[in-house]
Amino acid sequence: MAAIAEVVGTEPRRHSQSYLMGWLTTADHKRIGIMYLLAATFFFAVGGLEALMIRIQLSSPGNTFVTPALYDQLFTMHGTTMIFLAVMPLFIGFINCIVPLQIGARDVAFPRLNALSLWLFVLGGILLNSSWFLGGAPNAGWFNYAPISLTPFNPGPGIDFYDIGLQLAGIGTLMTGVNFIATIINMRAPGMSLMRMPLFTWTTFITSVLILFAFPPFTVNLFLLMFDRLMGANFFNIAKGGNVLLWQHLFWIFGHPEVYILILPAFGIISEVIATFSRKTLFGYDSMVLATIAIGFLAFTVWVHHMFVDGFGPYVNSLFAITTMAIAVPTGVKIFNWIFTMWGGKIKFTTAMLFATGFIPLFVIGGISGVMLAMAPADFQYNDSYFVVAHLHYVLIGGSLMGVLAGAYYWFPKITGRLLNETLGKWHFWLLMIGFNVTFFPMHFLGLLGMPRRVATYSAAMGQAVAFWNLVATIGAFILAISFLFFFYNLFKTLRSGEQAGPDPWDARALEWAISSPAPVYNFAKTPLVRGRDAWWVEKTEGDGHLRSAEPEADPHEEHAHHGIHMPTGSIYPFLIALGLMIAGYGAIFGLLLLVAIGLVLAFFSIHRMIVDEDPGEIVQPVGGDGE
Amino acid sequence: MRPVKRFVSRLKWPAVLGILTVALSGCGNYFSSRASVLAPAGPVASRELSLIQISLYIMLVIFVVVMGLWGFALIRYRARRNDTSAVSASTGDTRLEILWTVVPLLIVIYLTVLTVQTEFYLTRRPNPTTSLQVSVTGHQFFWQFDYPGLGISTIHNLYIPVGEKVNLTLTSADVIHSFWVPELAGKTDAIPGYHTYMWLEASRAGSYFGECAQFCGVGHYNMHMTVIALPPAQFQTWVKSMQKKGAASGTAWALERGPLPVSS
């Protein structure tokens, strides 16, 4: 963090504040974004190590590298960590760092709420992972179906860690959704009409709407489970009139939109990167926006395709098969639009572009197997087999993670001011492509050969082929892991001695590239006037290469006296609210009512202070003319 | 070395499709297993496999077309040195966009029709008076089969007559399980508090390996079963012998506890 602070140390620091307090109290969207990225990268590494242990265990039949009980914890924590604590917060990190810049804003609509989102995610994630040391990690899968998650079948505290940890992180995510809806609707610079917004901002907007509607059912579900486990309620207890399918419905009403929360931002990043490095404006912008909205809407109509084998009968299954397959149409539109953005362009294969173009075949494979899975009667065979494991990793690694990495190579210079090493980047890309496909393509075969998911081991009697493809997948997983060593080394090396990027190293198109790298704390010295799609490109090609100001020209003699920039000040209370809730969470898990009381008092006191404390703001003087 | 090169250079899409077809039909050591979806032994699994195959072939065509366009764009439009030509100013093409909306829509509609037809075929319950009825109960971590009309119960082993539809009613005694015999039929979950239904039929005699597919706890990996399909006459003999055993022990029910298939 020290190395990053050197290059991002743009926030004016009050003398009374220590370095640590500067980060704990910050409300700056760029610093919050960086902390999201750092924490999520850490959790990504943890989830990756869990995956390697899973692959070692499955490398040969009847292996005893881990016990079945430990294996169940590993696959549960791998899935939960990667989805909630790695990929989603990586996107939220980029959203925080970039979206306010892309729309010409000074910060998000609610800067302190943004800090609260961050700390709820970080502390919720720490609470969830601390389960490893406090009685055992959750072991009922990331989907955590009732009744195996209930006390009679799962008396240890693991499921409570899942429940409380994801409540904390989930509320944080929900507030991020609210924050970015408000930010994108209200804080766009003059001239930035909705249909001029960069695609990443558009997908962030739709993602935020999905978060707003998808996370409440999940939170409700977690509360019901908490009532059942900690307070003796019976929502899922069939002996007392409860219903186990209630969990499944509420979970997938959240869970499927969650998949699109994990992919739409990637679509946005791919759109930015492909347009930039093809040196063309995005092909079919309008249809890209419409397709994003259509996918967002359809996302809420397909959840039962996760439950095709629940025996709901042909009418229900047919309906949800149709809605699911319908999603293929807007998704296909996007794929063709990306290809035709490259068509007729001059493609420059930077590492960011390699990840963006490599995204296409992998995501198409994931999309194809998605359509196959949507055919309910075929899904009777695929369901809960390794075929699904293959599919979901093609979508989540081949889709989401490739988007994250394209974004990482593309925006790293904007976030830190330094360019990631391209040679190391290309090693990362090619090793990842090989390792990924060697790991996950054979899993299609494994599913068809009858290997169910979540088995701690398999018998040699299943046949030579099952053992063979499992070994191949394990070898691939290590290649994949090695590719990330190149990436982490690249991050480390670049932060210490990377090449200075300058404001616009890629000759790019959106507004974030018009200001210095890293962006000054106030972002734009003067709120820019947006004169077209690809707002910065317009100024470079049709204007004089400088942003127009949307603010009235002031008398130059008076400017310094009266026209500083009003910025929000930081606050420690968002951190204390999250800390209080975390303490209360531990109290609830271990039945220590005093701890619950202490935590809740701290949280409510801090909420109260955050509400009544006036934020006087700070006046910051911009450095240069138009922020460069 | 040369013949190999010639072979590779002659490798064309029909050949690739051929290889995939062979692979999917279950030939070859690397594409066969003890419980393969690709080696169906009854009408349910066959219908499911044919749906898998049709959709896979259509998807392969789509994949080849998309990858062709993608590869062409990457190679043809890569930035070259000393190339001063302007990039295309195109921002969209309504006709193209309609084309790649409508064609996928038509494909999806076709797949939908197949899906709905198969779905209704597979979930149509056989006539209870003419088909064998079996109640399946999932336990942590074994399967129990009750033949209510015959007064027989078995553990681990499900005996069925060849060529007859078997009507299964599933439930669970504890957590959710999923009944899966890949060579005979896809899955149906066994859910506590619910009764779910499926049917299956074996076209030829043999024993078919079955598993629990829904994660059900620490013994999930080892929750196996065997479906033993007997010719109808032998099945009747088995029923008689079981009933005799039951009568001899003085209970109305005869219980057979088979060996747990494949312990790891």
Side-chain angles (χ1 to χ4, degrees):
Chain A
M1 214 182 226
I4 288 177
E6 265 171 44
V7 283
V8 195
T10 49
E11 178 165 337
R13 219 181 289 153
R14 275 164 287 170
H15 291 295
S16 58
Q17 268 185 350
S18 72
Y19 173 75
L20 179 67
M21 280 302 276
W23 286 91
L24 284 181
T25 61
T26 187
D28 176 0
H29 69 95
K30 297 176 288 298
R31 288 188 145 206
I32 288 172
I34 285 167
M35 285 190 280
Y36 261 110
L37 292 172
L38 283 174
T41 304
F42 169 75
F43 287 126
F44 177 78
V46 172
L49 289 176
E50 285 155 1
L52 282 183
M53 291 173 74
I54 289 170
R55 281 318 318 165
I56 292 172
Q57 167 66 11
L58 294 179
S59 60
S60 63
N63 202 359
T64 54
F65 174 71
V66 293
T67 61
L70 179 57
Y71 184 87
D72 297 345
Q73 297 171 42
L74 283 172
F75 78 71
T76 299
M77 285 303 284
H78 167 69
T80 311
T81 301
M82 286 303 195
I83 288 167
F84 291 102
L85 307 180
V87 177
M88 191 164 59
L90 282 168
F91 281 128
I92 293 177
F94 285 129
I95 288 169
N96 264 291
C97 287
I98 300 301
V99 166
L101 305 183
Q102 284 198 331
I103 60 173
R106 297 226 185 279
D107 207 310
V108 296
F110 310 111
R112 289 184 176 184
L113 194 69
N114 203 21
L116 179 55
S117 290
L118 167 77
W119 293 117
L120 283 169
F121 149 63
V122 171
L123 297 184
I126 290 172
L127 180 135
L128 177 54
N129 274 279
S130 68
S131 61
W132 285 113
F133 312 105
L134 295 169
N139 59 357
W142 87 282
F143 54 100
N144 201 48
Y145 275 3
I148 198 169
S149 57
L150 301 182
T151 314
F153 303 104
N154 227 321
I159 304 294
D160 300 318
F161 277 100
Y162 170 97
D163 194 310
I164 308 280
L166 292 186
Q167 276 183 36
L168 294 180
I171 292 167
T173 308
L174 183 58
M175 291 189 302
T176 298
V178 172
N179 215 336
F180 277 90
I181 291 172
T183 303
I184 292 170
I185 289 180
N186 291 315
M187 300 187 66
R188 282 168 288 132
M192 178 66 82
S193 61
L194 286 176
M195 291 309 273
R196 283 180 178 176
M197 295 198 309
L199 243 284
F200 183 60
T201 300
W202 255 115
T203 55
T204 297
F205 181 57
I206 303 300
T207 302
S208 303
V209 174
L210 291 188
I211 288 173
L212 182 64
F213 289 103
F215 268 74
F218 185 50
T219 307
V220 166
N221 225 10
L222 291 172
F223 268 89
L224 297 183
L225 181 64
M226 181 176 75
F227 293 154
D228 267 19
R229 282 185 62 91
L230 299 178
M231 302 167 198
N234 295 296
F235 291 102
F236 306 115
N237 179 0
I238 58 162
K240 296 280 177 66
N243 185 315
V244 296
L245 291 188
L246 174 62
W247 172 276
Q248 285 189 31
H249 281 290
L250 286 172
F251 186 83
W252 291 118
I253 285 170
F254 147 78
H256 200 83
E258 169 68 15
V259 176
Y260 292 93
I261 291 167
L262 293 170
I263 197 65
L264 289 180
F267 287 173
I269 293 172
I270 301 299
S271 304
E272 305 279 314
V273 172
I274 285 186
T276 295
F277 294 110
S278 303
R279 308 191 62 74
K280 274 182 66 194
T281 191
L282 193 69
F283 189 93
Y285 176 96
D286 295 2
S287 63
M288 282 301 232
V289 171
L290 282 176
T292 309
I293 296 170
I295 292 170
F297 176 76
L298 287 172
F300 286 96
T301 66
V302 300
W303 79 91
V304 171
H305 73 216
H306 296 271
M307 306 161 70
F308 276 154
V309 298
D310 278 16
F312 292 141
Y315 293 97
V316 171
N317 282 5
S318 297
L319 180 68
F320 282 89
I322 292 169
T323 54
T324 303
M325 279 191 266
I327 290 191
V329 177
T331 313
V333 166
K334 281 181 170 287
I335 301 276
F336 286 115
N337 277 333
W338 287 320
I339 292 175
F340 277 76
T341 302
M342 300 192 288
W343 205 273
K346 285 188 177 176
I347 304 169
K348 203 175 162 203
F349 288 101
T350 58
T351 306
M353 184 60 173
L354 284 177
F355 277 102
T357 47
F359 165 97
I360 293 175
L362 301 186
F363 190 73
V364 168
I365 292 174
I368 280 173
S369 56
V371 172
M372 293 170 67
L373 281 157
M375 305 175 72
D379 181 68
F380 295 164
Q381 290 285 19
Y382 304 133
N383 188 289
D384 271 326
S385 81
Y386 261 79
F387 192 90
V388 180
V389 181
H391 162 74
L392 78 91
H393 284 94
Y394 268 86
V395 179
L396 286 181
I397 298 181
S400 304
L401 192 64
M402 293 290 278
V404 165
L405 293 171
Y409 284 91
Y410 183 62
W411 280 319
F412 196 83
K414 182 49 62 187
I415 294 168
T416 68
R418 290 166 192 266
L419 286 160
L420 282 167
N421 183 296
E422 284 285 306
T423 311
L424 288 171
K426 279 165 190 167
W427 274 95
H428 177 204
F429 171 76
W430 287 110
L431 282 172
L432 181 141
M433 283 299 267
I434 294 166
F436 170 74
N437 284 297
V438 171
T439 309
F440 293 103
F441 204 82
M443 292 188 186
H444 293 109
F445 308 147
L446 285 171
L448 294 175
L449 293 175
M451 181 165 169
R453 296 175 76 176
R454 305 171 182 124
V455 285
T457 189
Y458 51 94
S459 160
M462 277 301 281
Q464 195 188 338
V466 171
F468 173 76
W469 292 120
N470 267 302
L471 180 62
V472 170
T474 301
I475 294 168
F478 276 88
I479 300 173
L480 191 55
I482 290 168
S483 81
F484 275 95
L485 293 184
F486 280 86
F487 181 56
F488 293 137
Y489 176 65
N490 199 352
L491 292 178
F492 177 74
K493 187 172 179 267
T494 301
L495 287 175
R496 294 193 58 158
S497 60
E499 186 190 334
Q500 293 289 337
D504 188 9
W506 312 124
D507 196 8
R509 314 180 81 82
L511 273 184
E512 75 265 27
W513 303 102
I515 52 177
S516 62
S517 306
V521 64
Y522 45 79
N523 295 350
F524 297 86
K526 287 181 178 167
T527 299
L529 179 68
V530 175
R531 301 197 299 155
R533 254 176 225 169
D534 292 342
W536 176 229
W537 188 257
V538 168
E539 298 304 337
K540 287 194 286 190
T541 53
E542 293 163 30
D544 57 1
H546 293 277
L547 286 183
R548 304 279 171 106
S549 166
E551 296 174 14
E553 282 301 318
D555 180 348
H557 299 292
E558 280 185 68
E559 188 173 347
H560 277 275
H562 302 292
H563 291 273
I565 296 167
H566 185 234
M567 296 298 295
T569 45
S571 163
I572 192 63
Y573 293 114
F575 175 76
L576 291 181
I577 294 169
L579 185 67
L581 291 175
M582 184 200 201
I583 292 169
Y586 276 113
I589 290 168
F590 292 108
L592 304 168
L593 285 183
L594 184 64
L595 208 54
V596 175
I598 292 171
L600 288 181
V601 166
L602 176 60
F604 282 112
F605 166 77
S606 306
I607 292 172
H608 175 72
R609 287 300 299 268
M610 199 164 110
I611 293 169
V612 299
D613 265 16
E614 260 185 57
D615 176 5
E618 282 177 297
I619 303 296
V620 180
Q621 296 299 337
V623 184
D626 57 6
E628 283 187 27
Chain B
M1 212 48 215
R2 274 194 109 188
V4 174
K5 263 188 190 163
R6 206 177 303 149
F7 171 71
V8 171
S9 71
R10 280 184 190 167
L11 195 64
K12 294 268 160 59
W13 280 110
V16 173
L17 274 180
I19 291 168
L20 274 164
T21 311
V22 171
L24 285 175
S25 61
C27 304
N29 242 352
Y30 293 106
F31 296 99
S32 64
S33 78
R34 186 172 179 196
S36 175
V37 172
L38 308 175
V44 176
S46 293
R47 281 291 288 260
E48 288 165 347
L49 181 61
S50 61
L51 197 60
I52 290 171
Q53 283 169 326
I54 293 170
S55 60
L56 177 65
Y57 295 147
I58 293 173
M59 291 299 133
L60 277 177
V61 172
I62 294 172
F63 184 71
V64 169
V65 170
V66 174
M67 285 302 99
L69 290 170
W70 172 80
F72 180 82
L74 285 188
I75 294 165
R76 170 68 184 78
Y77 297 111
R78 61 189 308 147
R80 277 161 231 184
R81 270 182 211 148
N82 309 322
D83 176 9
T84 53
S85 64
V87 299
S88 151
S90 153
T91 60
D93 184 325
T94 311
R95 278 173 307 172
L96 270 179
E97 289 176 58
I98 290 172
L99 178 74
W100 65 51
T101 308
V102 170
V103 172
L105 195 63
L106 294 176
I107 294 171
V108 159
I109 289 171
Y110 174 66
L111 292 175
T112 300
V113 171
L114 291 182
T115 299
V116 173
Q117 279 174 342
T118 316
E119 173 71 34
F120 275 82
Y121 169 76
L122 293 180
T123 50
R124 193 186 303 128
R125 296 179 65 193
N127 185 343
T129 55
T130 57
S131 62
L132 178 66
Q133 307 291 310
V134 182
S135 301
V136 180
T137 308
H139 298 261
Q140 281 181 319
F141 300 93
F142 64 92
W143 292 100
Q144 172 191 341
F145 306 101
D146 299 308
Y147 299 72
L150 305 174
I152 299 173
S153 291
T154 64
I155 305 275
H156 301 318
N157 288 346
L158 170 62
Y159 290 83
I160 59 169
V162 169
E164 281 181 35
K165 289 180 175 172
V166 181
N167 212 353
L168 305 178
T169 304
L170 300 101
T171 191
S172 167
D174 37 53
V175 302
I176 300 173
H177 303 278
S178 192
F179 179 93
W180 191 24
V181 188
E183 289 156 311
L184 294 181
K187 298 160 202 79
T188 301
D189 278 5
I191 306 167
Y194 282 84
H195 289 286
T196 53
Y197 306 97
M198 68 180 282
W199 64 274
L200 52 75
E201 181 187 327
S203 306
R204 48 178 194 268
S207 37
Y208 302 98
F209 184 60
E211 307 160 280
C212 172
Q214 179 61 267
F215 176 70
C216 58
V218 73
H220 166 60
Y221 72 98
N222 209 18
M223 185 170 163
H224 298 151
M225 68 186 123
T226 308
V227 178
I228 298 165
L230 301 170
Q234 278 185 41
F235 180 75
Q236 286 310 322
T237 315
W238 174 79
V239 169
K240 294 262 161 55
S241 73
M242 286 296 289
Q243 285 170 336
K244 206 177 287 171
K245 217 161 77 180
S249 68
T251 58
W253 288 80
L255 177 70
E256 185 202 87
R257 181 178 274 275
L260 180 64
V262 191
S263 58
S264 300

